Amino acid sequence: MSESGWLDELAWGEAGLLPAIAQDADSGEVLMVAWMNRDALAATVASGEAVYWSRSRGRFWHKGEESGHTQTVREVRIDCDADVILLKVVQHGGVACHTGRRSCFFRRLQGGAWEEVARVLRDPKEIYGE
């Protein structure tokens, strides 16, 4: 098997992408979900920092390239069907979400409506200069 044969073992979707879950390596908290193609996963493994494929921008996205909130990858796992990637990460800067929150999963269904249950830690305008 070639050096990157492990990439061939994944069930890449029609678009060549797989969902990638970023989970805090210590607490287990799910921080975010993004997409990876072969090259993004290979770059992540090679660099030790999370690199994703941005569908909206149509390009690679090194997590934290604008915000400084990088993710150091401690472990890479796949699920039983080899079609979901799990990254166990150390989230630098305490913020994983572009909304300025720790996690992208800050809303929960309560009484038939979505309720925000996590506060903004940093104003996105501060982070991205918008």
Side-chain angles (χ1 to χ4, degrees):
M1 187 175 289
S2 70
E3 190 173 307
S4 62
W6 57 272
L7 287 166
D8 297 332
E9 295 180 40
L10 298 176
W12 299 102
E14 282 183 37
L17 299 173
L18 290 179
I21 300 164
Q23 179 184 45
D24 184 281
D26 295 322
S27 72
E29 178 183 16
V30 175
L31 300 175
M32 56 178 275
V33 176
W35 295 91
M36 289 183 143
N37 62 13
R38 290 174 64 95
D39 293 338
L41 182 53
T44 296
V45 170
S47 70
E49 288 197 345
V51 178
Y52 301 104
W53 177 258
S54 172
R55 295 178 303 164
S56 61
R57 299 177 214 161
R59 67 171 181 83
F60 291 105
W61 159 45
H62 180 208
K63 176 67 176 157
E65 66 189 23
E66 291 179 38
S67 66
H69 301 148
T70 58
Q71 294 173 338
T72 300
V73 177
R74 283 201 189 154
E75 190 175 348
V76 179
R77 295 186 181 201
I78 56 172
D79 74 329
C80 56
D81 295 322
D83 63 0
V84 177
I85 300 163
L86 175 66
L87 303 178
K88 295 195 174 223
V89 304
V90 174
Q91 177 65 56
H92 300 284
V95 173
C97 185
H98 74 281
T99 66
R101 292 174 175 86
R102 168 94 178 133
S103 169
C104 293
F105 295 92
F106 60 88
R107 293 176 278 212
R108 76 170 166 216
L109 188 59
Q110 185 71 32
W114 295 108
E115 170 188 31
E116 292 186 5
V117 294
R119 64 186 179 86
V120 173
L121 299 176
R122 269 191 79 199
D123 185 336
K125 291 177 187 165
E126 262 182 46
I127 299 169
Y128 301 105
E130 297 172 5

